[in-house]
Amino acid sequence: MADLLSDEEATGKVKEVYEEIRDNFGMIPNFFRAQAAANPEWLELNWLRWKNIMGFEGSLDRKTKELIAVAVSITNNSRYCMQAHEAMALMKGASTGDIVETKKVVELFASYNNIADSLDIPCDISPDKVKGSKDRL
Amino acid sequence: MADLLSDEEATGKVKEVYEEIRDNFGMIPNFFRAQAAANPEWLELNWLRWKNIMGFEGSLDRKTKELIAVAVSITNNSRYCMQAHEAMALMKGASTGDIVETKKVVELFASYNNIADSLDIPCDISPDKVKGSKDRL
Amino acid sequence: MADLLSDEEATGKVKEVYEEIRDNFGMIPNFFRAQAAANPEWLELNWLRWKNIMGFEGSLDRKTKELIAVAVSITNNSRYCMQAHEAMALMKGASTGDIVETKKVVELFASYNNIADSLDIPCDISPDKVKGSKDRL
Amino acid sequence: MADLLSDEEATGKVKEVYEEIRDNFGMIPNFFRAQAAANPEWLELNWLRWKNIMGFEGSLDRKTKELIAVAVSITNNSRYCMQAHEAMALMKGASTGDIVETKKVVELFASYNNIADSLDIPCDISPDKVKGSKDRL
Amino acid sequence: MADLLSDEEATGKVKEVYEEIRDNFGMIPNFFRAQAAANPEWLELNWLRWKNIMGFEGSLDRKTKELIAVAVSITNNSRYCMQAHEAMALMKGASTGDIVETKKVVELFASYNNIADSLDIPCDISPDKVKGSKDRL
Amino acid sequence: MADLLSDEEATGKVKEVYEEIRDNFGMIPNFFRAQAAANPEWLELNWLRWKNIMGFEGSLDRKTKELIAVAVSITNNSRYCMQAHEAMALMKGASTGDIVETKKVVELFASYNNIADSLDIPCDISPDKVKGSKDRL
């Protein structure tokens, strides 16, 4: 089981990161405490990524990004992240219906991906064609 | 390489399914032609699932579901489905920015899932807690 | 692309293994030629495993074992092995219907496995219970 | 942990599906109870697939299909399904020797798949060639 | 849970293998006891592989090989092997810093692999080119 | 196929990153050009991670880290990264024997991980015990 760095043990750069995490989550998830305990530079790097990818309002809203995080975590069969991102999706406005629908889409493509590979299907739809047809408009 | 069932070879139930597929996609993707060639009941079953999960306007809109399909297909490293669903997401209104952001979220959780597993992190956030706190309101 | 050891280059122990492989397959698959080129001990070890697990008539017949090999290779998305074991299953008496049915079972469990994980389903059926109930007879 | 729909809560279509499941398994596995609780249409769809793929006597017998289910579930590392299908294979006539032999074939291809990919081996055996040679007979 | 073969139950070839295992590990890990209980030939085969690949001082030292074993076990999300090989790496001289650095490299490539696949990046660096340039020296 | 950002198109921060990459690799791999074309912030973030994890001389030397990168890329079956890191390992002093030995360790644990999971083996070796026994010295 991971060592976890408590609030009392956090100093310097880790303390700053902890404050930013608390501002975003209302708590410090064990996910970040474990990285802080293992290697402070690792925590910093992965918090920077979180802010840049999840915390930033880009073209996708946060709820959609949390649902994608749920989908990826199920596909990788990562228990901690499945639980955590299902919880976060609910906190960011997803309904339980959204969660169920996400899980249905995920299992649909678990088998569709599998069929596409097992039948060795030649590609007939690609993003380049779609972009090409839009460019011609 | 998969055998593919042409329009001319499609009869009976397969012909009906092909018509519904064409109504939805404007074409018959090889993915469905290959199943038709292998086993017509398989095609029927998987088309029924598509209608029920992707074709149905439930709580998530189609664009979001296509982005989740892209995320799952990347995680499973399934080339046909990656290409096809990136194309479909674009057709359903996703911008190239949405696609890039989806890929960033996917790679973020490829590594976050991995970290959570490698550090054996005890769960401290769960959907039950979130639902519980909402129920108390 | 792998270096491949030709028949002319095979000497000593590798030559002996090549003869046994040819007796079983009627040819030397590149899979074994590549290991011979990389490291002769590796070839020996993996040929010994093949004889012990696939070449040996244990409780399962060879056709069933080749169908399981197809199922595993699809699930691991390994193109060479998918192709090779689908071919070998056909050579060992599987019909194209058997192959299609195997692929249907594989995609069914791609999604059932996924659902069981995503819903975090508590175990209620186990081999120990079945064995226990048989022991009581 | 999944919500599970009890017999008492099952009405309408779910009740009918539960009866068919009980006819086949002698019980309602949590796998199906969890889907019923999440979304009745999902249960219906996945029960229809089960009947069509596992429940139907096609070219492969049920024991063989359960062994393939065990193989896929091990490869996907899905604990619930590993347990459940090992139990079902035993119930459908597999011996413990068949189960062990299945696990040996699965681990053999875990590493053979890996070797084929790591050495980037050019394909020299394919189902089309085998079918072609049979067609010429 | 696996059946485990105790020291008292070990006879003949299994007893010999147990002695060699104890010479190498100072104990018999459950990993080997479970294979002995399932099928003695399986144990023999896998112990032979261990001696040939891990126990043999080839070009890589044992510590490096244990760190690679940790990396593979994390990537496959196999809890028993993650624990066991992290312990063995420590026993073979790895520092906790080496373990943390290994985990950082592993999560880096979890996401880099993902990015390379999701962006469908054409290969521009290959071992053949490097070997070629060395051959010309 | 990915869009790639040429040297001529690189300006500002991307141009700076390109210079650092060229100092390290003697070229700009497509892996980085593709990220630059998709989203400059993504390139920056992933270059920062590379410098921090791979470029930094921590407790493991660069050759060992490249071999771990090869192992992870094989396990994830990511063709671009397998090729690229096998090449880089050779450039950083690995012999072809080291590469073959890495591949042997990787395939060994592909099957050992699988066996540990399929037999559901209870953990009897853990890093905490090893650390504990060292602390007592």
Side-chain angles (χ1 to χ4, degrees):
Chain A
M1 197 80 85
D3 288 327
L4 304 171
L5 196 96
S6 70
D7 291 353
E8 291 67 38
E9 294 164 305
T11 54
K13 187 69 193 170
V14 170
K15 197 178 159 75
E16 282 175 44
V17 170
Y18 269 24
E19 273 160 31
E20 287 184 25
I21 293 173
R22 206 182 309 269
D23 286 348
N24 274 278
F25 294 95
M27 63 168 313
I28 317 289
N30 285 341
F31 179 75
F32 294 110
R33 291 190 185 281
Q35 289 176 66
N39 182 253
E41 287 76 22
W42 203 14
L43 173 71
E44 269 186 68
L45 215 43
N46 281 320
W47 178 242
L48 185 64
R49 293 168 77 204
W50 190 92
K51 285 193 293 186
N52 232 287
I53 298 177
M54 295 302 282
F56 170 74
E57 280 297 328
S59 42
L60 298 176
D61 60 27
R62 179 73 187 283
K63 183 186 107 173
T64 301
K65 287 192 278 198
E66 290 293 348
L67 292 175
I68 293 171
V70 168
V72 172
S73 302
I74 292 170
T75 307
N76 284 328
N77 200 0
S78 177
R79 183 111 327 255
Y80 180 89
C81 292
M82 272 192 234
Q83 297 280 324
H85 291 282
E86 190 173 326
M88 279 179 205
L90 291 168
M91 286 190 280
K92 291 293 164 185
S95 64
T96 53
D98 292 341
I99 300 286
V100 170
E101 210 158 303
T102 297
K103 290 179 181 178
K104 289 173 74 172
V105 174
V106 172
E107 70 93 354
L108 183 71
F109 287 96
S111 67
Y112 273 28
N113 288 180
N114 194 290
I115 294 168
D117 293 333
S118 78
L119 295 180
D120 195 8
I121 296 176
C123 194
D124 57 345
I125 316 174
S126 82
D128 292 340
K129 285 187 202 163
V130 176
K131 283 185 217 162
S133 67
K134 283 190 175 166
D135 291 350
R136 281 196 297 273
L137 293 181
Chain B
M1 198 79 85
D3 288 327
L4 304 171
L5 196 96
S6 69
D7 290 352
E8 291 68 38
E9 293 163 305
T11 55
K13 187 69 192 170
V14 170
K15 197 179 157 76
E16 282 174 44
V17 170
Y18 270 24
E19 272 159 32
E20 288 184 26
I21 293 174
R22 205 182 311 268
D23 287 348
N24 275 278
F25 295 96
M27 63 166 313
I28 317 288
N30 285 341
F31 178 73
F32 294 109
R33 291 190 185 281
Q35 289 177 66
N39 182 251
E41 287 76 21
W42 202 15
L43 172 70
E44 268 187 68
L45 215 44
N46 282 321
W47 178 242
L48 186 64
R49 294 168 77 205
W50 190 92
K51 285 193 293 187
N52 234 287
I53 298 177
M54 295 303 281
F56 171 73
E57 280 297 328
S59 42
L60 299 176
D61 60 26
R62 179 74 187 281
K63 184 186 106 174
T64 301
K65 287 192 278 199
E66 290 293 348
L67 292 175
I68 293 172
V70 169
V72 172
S73 302
I74 293 169
T75 308
N76 284 327
N77 200 1
S78 177
R79 184 110 329 254
Y80 180 89
C81 292
M82 272 192 233
Q83 298 279 323
H85 291 282
E86 190 172 325
M88 279 180 207
L90 291 168
M91 286 189 279
K92 292 293 165 184
S95 65
T96 54
D98 292 342
I99 300 286
V100 170
E101 211 158 300
T102 297
K103 290 180 181 179
K104 289 173 74 173
V105 174
V106 172
E107 70 92 353
L108 183 71
F109 287 96
S111 68
Y112 273 27
N113 287 181
N114 195 290
I115 294 168
D117 294 332
S118 79
L119 295 180
D120 196 8
I121 296 176
C123 194
D124 57 346
I125 316 174
S126 82
D128 292 339
K129 285 186 203 165
V130 176
K131 283 184 216 163
S133 67
K134 282 188 174 167
D135 291 349
R136 280 196 298 275
L137 294 181
Chain C
M1 199 79 86
D3 287 328
L4 304 171
L5 196 95
S6 70
D7 290 353
E8 291 68 37
E9 294 163 305
T11 55
K13 186 71 192 166
V14 170
K15 195 178 159 75
E16 282 174 44
V17 171
Y18 269 25
E19 272 159 33
E20 288 185 25
I21 292 173
R22 205 181 312 268
D23 286 348
N24 275 279
F25 296 96
M27 64 168 309
I28 317 287
N30 285 341
F31 178 74
F32 294 110
R33 291 190 184 280
Q35 288 175 66
N39 182 251
E41 288 76 22
W42 202 15
L43 172 71
E44 267 187 70
L45 215 43
N46 282 321
W47 178 242
L48 185 63
R49 294 169 75 205
W50 190 91
K51 284 192 293 186
N52 234 287
I53 297 178
M54 295 303 281
F56 171 73
E57 280 297 328
S59 43
L60 299 176
D61 60 26
R62 178 73 188 281
K63 183 186 108 175
T64 301
K65 287 192 277 198
E66 290 293 348
L67 292 176
I68 294 172
V70 169
V72 173
S73 301
I74 293 170
T75 307
N76 284 328
N77 200 1
S78 178
R79 185 111 325 255
Y80 180 89
C81 293
M82 272 193 235
Q83 298 279 323
H85 292 281
E86 190 172 325
M88 280 180 205
L90 291 168
M91 285 190 278
K92 292 292 164 185
S95 64
T96 53
D98 292 342
I99 301 285
V100 169
E101 211 159 300
T102 298
K103 291 181 180 177
K104 288 173 75 172
V105 174
V106 172
E107 70 93 354
L108 184 71
F109 287 97
S111 66
Y112 273 28
N113 287 181
N114 194 290
I115 294 168
D117 294 333
S118 77
L119 295 180
D120 196 8
I121 296 176
C123 194
D124 57 347
I125 316 175
S126 82
D128 291 339
K129 285 186 204 165
V130 176
K131 284 184 216 163
S133 67
K134 284 187 173 167
D135 291 350
R136 282 196 296 275
L137 293 181
Chain D
M1 199 79 85
D3 288 328
L4 304 171
L5 196 94
S6 69
D7 291 353
E8 292 69 37
E9 293 164 306
T11 55
K13 187 71 192 168
V14 170
K15 196 177 158 77
E16 282 174 44
V17 170
Y18 270 24
E19 272 158 33
E20 288 185 25
I21 293 173
R22 206 181 311 268
D23 286 348
N24 274 279
F25 295 96
M27 63 167 311
I28 317 288
N30 285 341
F31 179 74
F32 294 110
R33 291 190 185 282
Q35 288 176 66
N39 182 252
E41 287 76 20
W42 202 14
L43 172 70
E44 267 186 70
L45 214 43
N46 281 322
W47 178 242
L48 185 64
R49 294 168 76 204
W50 190 92
K51 285 193 292 187
N52 233 287
I53 298 177
M54 295 302 282
F56 171 75
E57 280 297 328
S59 42
L60 299 176
D61 60 27
R62 179 74 187 282
K63 184 185 107 174
T64 301
K65 287 192 278 196
E66 290 293 348
L67 292 174
I68 294 172
V70 169
V72 172
S73 301
I74 292 170
T75 308
N76 284 328
N77 201 0
S78 177
R79 185 111 325 254
Y80 180 89
C81 292
M82 273 192 234
Q83 298 279 324
H85 291 282
E86 190 173 326
M88 280 180 206
L90 291 168
M91 286 190 279
K92 292 292 164 187
S95 64
T96 53
D98 292 342
I99 300 285
V100 169
E101 211 159 300
T102 298
K103 290 180 180 178
K104 288 173 74 173
V105 175
V106 172
E107 70 92 354
L108 184 71
F109 288 96
S111 67
Y112 273 28
N113 288 180
N114 193 290
I115 294 168
D117 295 332
S118 78
L119 295 179
D120 196 7
I121 295 175
C123 195
D124 57 346
I125 315 174
S126 82
D128 292 339
K129 285 185 203 165
V130 176
K131 283 183 217 165
S133 67
K134 284 189 173 166
D135 291 350
R136 281 195 296 275
L137 295 181
Chain E
M1 199 80 85
D3 287 327
L4 304 171
L5 196 95
S6 69
D7 290 353
E8 291 68 36
E9 294 163 305
T11 56
K13 187 72 192 169
V14 170
K15 198 178 157 75
E16 283 174 43
V17 170
Y18 270 25
E19 273 159 32
E20 288 184 25
I21 293 174
R22 206 182 311 269
D23 286 348
N24 275 279
F25 296 96
M27 64 167 313
I28 317 288
N30 285 341
F31 178 74
F32 294 110
R33 291 191 185 280
Q35 287 175 67
N39 181 251
E41 288 76 21
W42 202 14
L43 172 71
E44 268 187 68
L45 215 43
N46 282 321
W47 178 243
L48 186 64
R49 294 168 77 203
W50 190 92
K51 285 193 292 187
N52 233 287
I53 298 177
M54 295 303 282
F56 171 74
E57 281 297 328
S59 43
L60 300 176
D61 60 28
R62 178 74 187 281
K63 183 185 108 174
T64 301
K65 287 193 279 198
E66 289 294 348
L67 292 175
I68 294 172
V70 169
V72 172
S73 301
I74 292 170
T75 307
N76 284 328
N77 200 0
S78 177
R79 184 111 327 255
Y80 180 90
C81 292
M82 272 192 234
Q83 298 279 323
H85 291 282
E86 190 172 326
M88 280 180 204
L90 291 168
M91 286 189 279
K92 291 292 164 184
S95 64
T96 54
D98 292 341
I99 301 285
V100 170
E101 211 159 301
T102 298
K103 290 180 180 177
K104 289 173 73 172
V105 175
V106 172
E107 70 91 354
L108 184 71
F109 287 96
S111 67
Y112 273 27
N113 287 181
N114 194 290
I115 294 168
D117 294 333
S118 78
L119 295 181
D120 195 9
I121 296 175
C123 194
D124 56 346
I125 316 174
S126 81
D128 292 339
K129 285 187 202 162
V130 176
K131 284 183 216 163
S133 68
K134 282 188 174 166
D135 290 350
R136 280 195 298 274
L137 293 181
Chain F
M1 198 80 86
D3 289 327
L4 304 172
L5 196 95
S6 69
D7 291 353
E8 291 68 38
E9 294 163 305
T11 55
K13 187 70 191 169
V14 170
K15 196 178 158 78
E16 282 174 44
V17 171
Y18 270 24
E19 273 159 31
E20 288 184 26
I21 293 173
R22 206 182 310 268
D23 286 348
N24 275 279
F25 295 95
M27 63 170 311
I28 317 289
N30 285 342
F31 179 74
F32 294 110
R33 291 191 185 280
Q35 288 176 67
N39 182 252
E41 287 77 21
W42 203 14
L43 172 71
E44 269 187 68
L45 214 44
N46 281 321
W47 178 242
L48 185 64
R49 294 168 76 205
W50 190 92
K51 285 193 293 186
N52 233 286
I53 297 176
M54 296 302 282
F56 171 74
E57 280 296 329
S59 41
L60 299 175
D61 60 27
R62 178 73 187 281
K63 183 186 107 173
T64 301
K65 287 193 278 198
E66 290 293 347
L67 292 175
I68 294 172
V70 169
V72 173
S73 302
I74 292 170
T75 307
N76 284 328
N77 201 1
S78 177
R79 185 110 326 254
Y80 180 89
C81 292
M82 273 193 233
Q83 298 278 324
H85 291 281
E86 190 172 325
M88 279 179 205
L90 291 168
M91 286 190 279
K92 292 292 164 185
S95 64
T96 53
D98 293 341
I99 300 285
V100 169
E101 211 159 301
T102 298
K103 290 180 181 178
K104 289 173 75 173
V105 175
V106 172
E107 71 92 352
L108 183 71
F109 288 97
S111 68
Y112 273 27
N113 287 181
N114 194 291
I115 293 169
D117 294 333
S118 79
L119 295 181
D120 196 10
I121 295 175
C123 194
D124 56 345
I125 316 173
S126 81
D128 292 340
K129 286 187 203 164
V130 176
K131 283 184 217 162
S133 67
K134 283 188 173 166
D135 292 350
R136 281 196 297 276
L137 294 180

